[in-house]
């Protein structure tokens, strides 16, 4: 019995270590991709965007990267089962339509804070253009999310709902606490672009947390 318990503990420890490595590696890849994108956009002057814009754009790049990975896995199930960590290739083929839609939604969600960061007072994109692009993206995201909601299985539905709950409380705790401190003049007001981007970062972490709890990832 002790040996079985020890083996289970070792397996659990290994799994969590593996997931921690995946999360760190994903963060490094996302950060590198973000900097590379910004470097391309401004020929090395990425930091001229400002910290608040970088926070928003960084979250957008990570969302788009995840979406592209999902799209690639759905488009090529044979290879996708390895980097999406699905045991059976048939599962990917069965959920191919939902995965393609889900990946597209993730890409569009990521595009929202990215376009927001490109706009602003010193942005590369005119504010009017950024606004209408964001409005169009939000409308498309909303419509596709309604469609895909009725096709989600119980596991994915549980992850979506749980991550949304965690995200709500985390945002209320962090940004709500910051707002209280700022109102009482203990901290400076939080820039709105950074607030939006920070909320997206929290959402990303909560999605991973909810998925890891169920052995996904």
């Amino acid at each position: 019995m002790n040996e079985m318990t020890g083996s289970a503990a070792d397996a659990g420890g290994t799994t969590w270590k593996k997931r921690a490595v995946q999360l760190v590696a994903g963060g490094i890849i996302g950060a590198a991709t973000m900097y590379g994108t910004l470097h391309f956009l401004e020929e090395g002057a990425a930091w001229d965007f400002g910290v608040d814009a970088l926070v928003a754009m960084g979250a957008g790049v990570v969302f788009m990267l995840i979406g592209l990975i999902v799209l690639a896995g759905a488009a090529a199930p044979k290879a996708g089962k390895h980097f999406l960590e699905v045991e059976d290739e048939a599962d990917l083929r069965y959920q191919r339509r939902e995965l393609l839609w889900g990946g597209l939604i993730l890409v569009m969600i990521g595009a929202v804070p990215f376009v927001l960061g490109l706009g602003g007072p010193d942005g590369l994109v005119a504010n009017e253009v950024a606004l209408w692009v964001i409005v169009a993206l939000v409308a498309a995201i909303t419509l596709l999310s309604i469609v895909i909601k009725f096709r989600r299985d119980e596991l994915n539905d549980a992850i979506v709902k749980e991550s949304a709950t965690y995200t709500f409380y985390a945002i209320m705790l962090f940004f709500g606490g910051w707002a209280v401190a700022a109102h009482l003049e203990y901290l400076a007001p939080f820039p709105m672009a950074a607030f939006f981007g920070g909320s997206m970062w929290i959402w990303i972490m909560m999605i991973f947390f909810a998925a890891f709890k169920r052995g996904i990832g």
Side-chain angles (χ1 to χ4, degrees):
M1 178 65 73
N2 290 335
E3 291 180 357
M4 293 176 63
T5 305
S7 299
D10 291 341
T14 302
T15 301
W16 278 102
K17 287 179 182 177
K18 178 183 177 183
R19 291 173 184 167
V21 170
Q22 290 174 333
L23 189 59
V24 172
I28 293 173
I29 294 172
T33 304
M34 177 190 72
Y35 182 79
T37 303
L38 298 178
H39 183 86
F40 173 77
L41 288 172
E42 258 201 353
E43 300 180 351
W47 296 105
D48 289 347
F49 279 104
V51 175
D52 54 338
L54 286 174
V55 171
M57 296 174 75
V61 168
V62 173
F63 261 105
M64 288 189 286
L65 184 62
I66 295 172
L68 290 174
I69 291 173
V70 173
L71 286 172
K78 189 172 183 179
K81 73 174 185 178
H82 297 293
F83 57 81
L84 291 180
E85 294 194 359
V86 177
E87 293 183 3
D88 192 354
E89 181 183 336
D91 291 339
L92 281 179
R93 296 189 182 278
Y94 178 73
Q95 295 186 338
R96 188 173 187 178
R97 180 181 297 178
E98 289 75 14
L99 288 171
L100 288 172
W101 285 353
L104 180 60
I105 289 172
L106 286 171
V107 171
M108 290 192 295
I109 288 174
V112 172
F114 192 82
V115 173
L116 176 65
L118 289 177
D122 300 316
L124 298 179
V125 175
N127 289 340
E128 294 80 5
V129 174
L131 176 62
W132 285 110
V133 170
I134 290 172
V135 168
L137 286 169
V138 171
I141 291 166
T142 302
L143 290 175
L144 280 177
S145 297
I146 292 172
V147 172
I148 201 173
K149 180 182 185 300
F150 299 104
R151 295 177 175 270
R152 284 200 304 254
D153 57 28
E154 292 183 4
L155 177 61
N156 287 324
D157 196 51
I159 291 173
V160 169
K161 291 178 179 178
E162 186 172 341
S163 63
T165 301
Y166 291 154
T167 301
F168 170 77
Y169 286 115
I171 289 174
M172 287 296 293
L173 181 64
F174 181 78
F175 289 113
W178 192 294
V180 170
H183 182 72
L184 298 177
E185 299 183 341
Y186 287 103
L187 290 173
F190 210 85
M192 293 309 296
F195 166 73
F196 186 75
S199 299
M200 299 290 284
W201 278 109
I202 292 173
W203 189 19
I204 293 169
M205 291 187 288
M206 295 304 110
I207 290 172
F208 276 109
F209 179 70
F212 286 171
K213 279 183 61 180
R214 289 165 172 77
I216 299 175

